[in-house]
């Protein structure tokens, strides 16, 4: 979700009512509980929940870790939208006119207790697309001896997808997962594309066949809610459409991609690495001349 | 799988809650979801119309078997009923469904089969706006809404005058 950067500067209402949907696995009861929290500027929903846990109700259970949107543990549904509690300012979701926020466990996940959900199925789906580099050469796969070459544009084909924090917000927002629990989900499909795009990987055919099923990429209806709630702009909706067009091309035997080569062991500390001839992108730049006569950048006189 | 996990799974959302989920989740800056809901509803309407239309055009045959009347007499009777206002309103709704479903379907075909209009992966930076939302498919989506409303108004003028 596009962040509201200015929200941290705004002042939330003095007292915020936090309505939490709770669940007790022993009695199997679900109920809504209200807490009143004294809010201050810069307070996040996670801060409010922790304050409730410390001062009002110790039995409130939630999962969190880093408090800065990196670990992806504190995903929950806030005011009907799946969001990271640590990245959601109270000023963003509560106002003087309506100082009530509702907090629920993530949709499409089985609830363990209160706000903690079971991610087993989510991670099993993630594992099912083989989220690791696969090389045809078994020896190289087991004992890699060197590094692979990769150009910046190829790197940008995977960089965005690699910033996924596995928070499960996309999975919670997906209307297709709600209707078809066997659907791989936006995260797993996005990760399949991340490795299909990766030039260091050689198992794209395997992955494209794996997702070309009834419960794979063709189940997506492009509601794009996964992208709308993603806290890192990983854009799973766009990834699934790209994956689908790649499956289409692959089935027509039109899908082609470069595979990177092993370019020897990584350099020792201080060792000078010669530039490959294709590294220069500027016309008229002679690399050999550049190596002999280093460019001296002259600073303008003060 | 242990017994404990099975017990936890029982607390997943039930059928009705899962079915309502597409409408229950609130997302900002996401007209694609609105388009998805409209596309689905209009799809159901078109299928329902198609079935009713097949029954209607086939009525000279089945009316002979069921009501033992002349097929064309029944056809004229049916046409007289369908000239009423309720059926015109129905026709207007079907026109709306078709006029949304068709251009949106073209947008989806282009994006889903050929990966057109979804942008390229890049370097996400705060405020983290996904590339698909700034790519051309979003423009097409707005165009679909505009074309839909314009053609629907035009269809309404034709149907009601």
């Amino acid at each position: 979700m596009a962040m509201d950067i200015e929200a941290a500067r705004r002042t939330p209402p003095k007292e915020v009512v936090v309505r939490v949907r709770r669940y007790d696995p022993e009695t199997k009861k679900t109920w809504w509980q209200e807490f009143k929290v004294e809010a201050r500027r810069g307070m996040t929903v996670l801060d409010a929940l922790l304050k409730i846990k410390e001062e009002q109700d110790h039995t409130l259970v939630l999962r969190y870790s880093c408090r800065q949107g990196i670990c992806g543990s504190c995903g929950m549904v806030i005011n009907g939208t799946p969001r990271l509690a640590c990245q959601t300012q109270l000023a963003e979701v509560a106002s003087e006119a309506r100082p009530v926020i509702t907090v629920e466990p993530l949709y499409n996940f089985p609830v363990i207790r209160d706000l903690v959900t079971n991610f087993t199925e989510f991670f099993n789906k993630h594992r099912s697309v083989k989220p690791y580099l696969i090389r045809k050469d078994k020896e190289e796969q087991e004992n890699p001896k060197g590094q692979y070459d990769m150009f910046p544009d190829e790197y940008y084909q995977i960089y965005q997808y690699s910033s996924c924090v596995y928070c499960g917000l996309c999975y919670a927002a997906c209307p297709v997962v709600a209707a078809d629990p066997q659907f791989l989900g936006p995260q797993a499909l996005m990760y399949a594309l991340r490795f299909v795009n990766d030039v260091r990987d050689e198992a794209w055919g395997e992955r494209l066949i794996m997702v070309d099923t009834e419960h794979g990429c063709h189940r997506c209806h492009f509601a794009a809610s996964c992208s709308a709630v993603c806290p890192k702009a990983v854009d799973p909706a766009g990834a699934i459409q790209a994956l689908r067009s790649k499956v289409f091309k692959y089935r027509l035997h039109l899908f082609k991609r470069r595979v990177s080569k092993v370019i020897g062991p990584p350099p020792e500390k201080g060792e000078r690495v010669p530039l490959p001839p294709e590294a220069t992108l500027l016309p008229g730049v002679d690399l050999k001349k550049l190596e002999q006569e280093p460019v001296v950048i002259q600073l303008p006189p003060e | 799988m242990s017994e404990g996990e099975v017990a936890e799974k029982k607390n997943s959302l039930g059928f009705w809650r899962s079915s309502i989920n597409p409408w229950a989740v609130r997302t900002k800056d996401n007209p694609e979801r609105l388009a998805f809901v409209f596309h689905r509803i209009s799809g159901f309407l078109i299928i329902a119309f198609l079935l009713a239309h097949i029954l209607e055009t086939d009525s000279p045959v089945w009316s002979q078997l069921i009501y033992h009347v002349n097929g064309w007499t029944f056809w004229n009777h049916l046409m007289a009923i369908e000239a009423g206002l309720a059926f015109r309103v129905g026709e207007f709704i079907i026109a709306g469904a078709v006029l949304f479903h068709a251009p949106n379907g073209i947008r989806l075909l282009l994006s889903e089969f050929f990966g057109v209009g979804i942008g390229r992966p890049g370097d996400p930076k705060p405020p983290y706006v996904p590339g698909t939302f700034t790519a051309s498919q979003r423009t097409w989506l707005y165009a679909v809404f505009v074309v839909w409303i314009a053609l629907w108004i035009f269809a309404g003028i034709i149907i009601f005058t």
Side-chain angles (χ1 to χ4, degrees), chain A residues 46 65-72 74 84 86-87 232:
Chain A
L46 183 66
S65 180
C66 74
R67 308 185 192 209
Q68 50 190 316
I70 292 169
C71 71
C74 62
L84 290 183
C86 64
Q87 277 195 336
K232 297 284 166 196

Side-chain angles (χ1 to χ4, degrees), chain A residues 1-3 5 23 79-82 104 107-108 110-111 118 120-121 156-157 159-161 173-175 178 221-225 227-229 231-233 235 238 241-242 244-245 248, chain B residues 5 7-9 11-13 17-18 21-22 24-30 32-33 36 40 107-108 111-115 118 120-124 126-133 137:
Chain A
M1 175 173 281
M3 281 165 74
I5 295 171
Y23 170 72
N79 279 0
T81 310
E104 292 170 78
Y107 299 150
N108 300 340
V111 185
N118 189 347
T120 312
E121 214 168 290
Y156 276 120
Q157 290 291 318
Y159 173 68
Q160 175 182 314
Y161 307 127
C174 180
H221 291 292
F222 199 17
S225 300
S227 291
V229 298
K232 297 284 166 196
D235 197 8
Q241 310 325 311
R244 202 146 40 178
S245 64
F248 190 50
Chain B
E5 276 173 314
E8 281 161 14
K9 278 200 165 181
N11 194 36
S12 354
L13 294 174
R17 191 71 184 79
S18 299
N21 180 292
V25 172
R26 269 184 266 166
T27 45
K28 273 183 196 169
D29 184 28
N30 191 9
E32 287 87 358
R33 194 178 187 107
F36 155 71
R40 185 150 279 206
R107 176 187 75 98
L108 290 176
S111 303
E112 294 180 359
F113 279 92
F114 306 105
I118 50 167
R120 287 171 66 83
D123 180 8
Y128 295 125
V129 179
T132 307
F133 288 6
Q137 67 85 20

Side-chain angles (χ1 to χ4, degrees), chain A:
Chain A
M1 175 173 281
M3 281 165 74
D4 186 356
I5 295 171
E6 293 298 313
R9 290 183 193 166
R10 293 200 297 270
T11 315
K14 274 191 179 171
E15 195 181 64
V16 173
V17 180
V18 183
R19 292 188 74 215
V20 185
R21 201 181 88 192
R22 303 194 61 182
Y23 170 72
D24 183 3
E26 280 138 29
T27 56
K28 302 216 177 295
K29 270 186 185 168
T30 306
W31 71 99
W32 286 93
Q33 195 167 348
E34 283 193 5
F35 302 96
K36 282 179 183 167
V37 184
E38 208 178 299
R40 54 176 168 73
R41 202 173 69 161
M43 198 173 189
T44 62
V45 174
L46 183 66
D47 293 336
L49 290 170
L50 290 176
K51 204 175 176 191
I52 291 167
K53 193 173 168 62
E54 281 165 16
E55 296 172 3
Q56 296 180 41
D57 190 346
H58 307 313
T59 62
L60 180 69
V61 180
L62 65 146
R63 192 191 276 135
Y64 75 99
S65 180
C66 74
R67 308 185 192 209
Q68 50 190 316
I70 292 169
C71 71
S73 309
C74 62
M76 45 191 81
V77 178
I78 300 163
N79 279 0
T81 310
R83 311 176 73 139
L84 290 183
C86 64
Q87 277 195 336
T88 309
Q89 293 284 326
L90 280 182
E92 215 176 322
V93 285
S95 60
E96 290 289 351
R98 190 177 155 72
V100 184
I101 61 166
T102 58
V103 183
E104 292 170 78
L106 285 178
Y107 299 150
N108 300 340
F109 286 92
V111 185
I112 296 173
R113 182 188 279 267
D114 290 351
L115 299 170
V116 178
T117 45
N118 189 347
F119 269 58
T120 312
E121 214 168 290
F122 175 80
F123 283 124
N124 280 346
K125 285 175 180 175
H126 172 67
R127 281 188 205 105
S128 74
V129 298
K130 301 194 176 181
Y132 41 82
L133 292 177
I134 299 172
R135 299 290 289 196
K136 277 181 189 165
D137 188 348
K138 286 275 180 279
E139 174 59 25
E140 198 187 313
Q141 175 83 27
E142 298 303 326
N143 306 303
K145 288 190 179 63
Q147 53 183 346
Y148 302 120
D149 63 336
M150 196 178 205
F151 294 108
D153 56 336
E154 291 166 346
Y155 171 68
Y156 276 120
Q157 290 291 318
I158 63 158
Y159 173 68
Q160 175 182 314
Y161 307 127
S162 312
S163 40
C164 175
V165 292
Y166 315 99
C167 57
L169 299 191
C170 52
Y171 196 82
C174 180
V176 184
V177 177
D180 174 16
Q182 277 176 286
F183 176 53
L184 279 176
Q187 194 278 336
L189 290 170
M190 177 277 295
Y191 238 73
L193 180 80
R194 181 238 176 278
F195 282 95
V196 166
N197 276 0
D198 197 326
V199 286
R200 299 167 296 175
D201 183 84
E202 284 182 302
W204 66 79
E206 200 182 324
R207 285 200 188 83
L208 289 176
I209 290 169
M210 213 182 285
V211 299
D212 186 15
T213 61
E214 191 192 341
H215 303 292
C217 62
H218 303 300
R219 201 73 171 183
C220 171
H221 291 292
F222 199 17
S225 300
C226 46
S227 291
V229 298
C230 182
K232 297 284 166 196
V234 168
D235 197 8
I240 298 171
Q241 310 325 311
L243 185 67
R244 202 146 40 178
S245 64
K246 280 180 184 173
V247 169
F248 190 50
K249 274 183 201 154
Y250 180 76
R251 289 297 189 188
L252 294 173
H253 303 283
L254 295 172
F255 183 75
K256 275 180 195 168
R257 204 201 65 192
R258 188 182 87 88
V259 178
S260 64
K261 296 176 196 78
V262 182
I263 50 167
E268 294 292 319
K269 200 176 176 187
E271 186 190 341
R272 192 188 169 100
V273 184
L275 286 169
E278 63 270 30
T280 173
L281 298 171
L282 296 171
V285 174
D286 188 358
L287 275 179
K288 280 185 182 167
K289 199 178 165 191
L290 207 67
E291 275 183 13
Q292 285 159 7
E293 300 167 19
V295 180
V296 180
I297 298 167
Q298 292 201 335
L299 292 171
E302 285 181 15

